[in-house]
Amino acid sequence: MPNIKHLATEVDKTGVSVQIMHTDTLGMSPIYSFFLRHMAQLIDDGLSWPVTTWDDFKCGAVYAMEGDKILGHIVYDTEKPGMLWIVLSAVDKDSRGRGIYTLLHKHFEQLAKDMGKGGIMSHVHVKNTPRLKSAEKVGMGTVFYCIGKRL
């Protein structure tokens, strides 16, 4: 079973209290189905490859809750040397615009520092405009370009 910790109580842009939580594994965690739904949506939208690239027990997450409802998460891979690698960040469609991602990112960065990581990274599809905008808001930017050609 995952080790789940309460990290903080934060107030979103609408004045609502949000619980920021941490789970040390994705597998068997309360966010697992939320993660799978959002990953499937990215694949269906053509913004991710249809392949499992994560290990349920080598990934953890910082996530936000309001009562029993999961508002969003940042799922990360612990196995990348020197970096905390974002596997998927997602905010519930009905909770967008409340600053949930910004709250999560603050705690995610602190977690990376506490783990002795030198940076945070992720892959983002060039057409995933909402994710690119959310990354820019928290100071993330392009480090490498990945180029390719479909055959």
Side-chain angles (χ1 to χ4, degrees), residues 25-130:
T25 66
L26 177 60
M28 304 304 286
S29 77
I31 65 160
Y32 197 76
S33 63
F34 183 94
F35 167 82
L36 290 175
R37 282 192 304 277
H38 285 84
M39 184 61 81
Q41 189 62 57
L42 271 184
I43 293 166
D44 289 348
D45 291 346
L47 301 176
S48 186
W49 296 108
V51 63
T52 302
T53 59
W54 64 91
D55 181 318
D56 290 345
F57 297 100
K58 292 181 181 172
C59 289
V62 175
Y63 62 101
M65 296 191 71
E66 180 184 348
D68 291 335
K69 182 180 179 184
I70 297 166
L71 305 177
H73 68 50
I74 299 176
V75 172
Y76 61 87
D77 184 337
T78 60
E79 296 293 303
K80 305 294 184 204
M83 297 282 163
L84 207 51
W85 189 270
I86 299 171
V87 174
L88 177 66
S89 60
V91 174
D92 179 70
K93 190 160 83 168
D94 295 334
S95 300
R96 292 179 186 159
R98 294 173 49 183
I100 302 299
Y101 181 77
T102 302
L103 296 174
L104 288 170
H105 190 86
K106 176 177 89 170
H107 292 279
F108 175 70
E109 277 195 18
Q110 187 58 54
L111 177 70
K113 289 175 186 175
D114 292 346
M115 294 173 76
K117 300 294 185 177
I120 55 176
M121 298 282 289
S122 70
H123 285 124
V124 180
H125 192 283
V126 68
K127 293 182 181 177
N128 191 345
T129 305

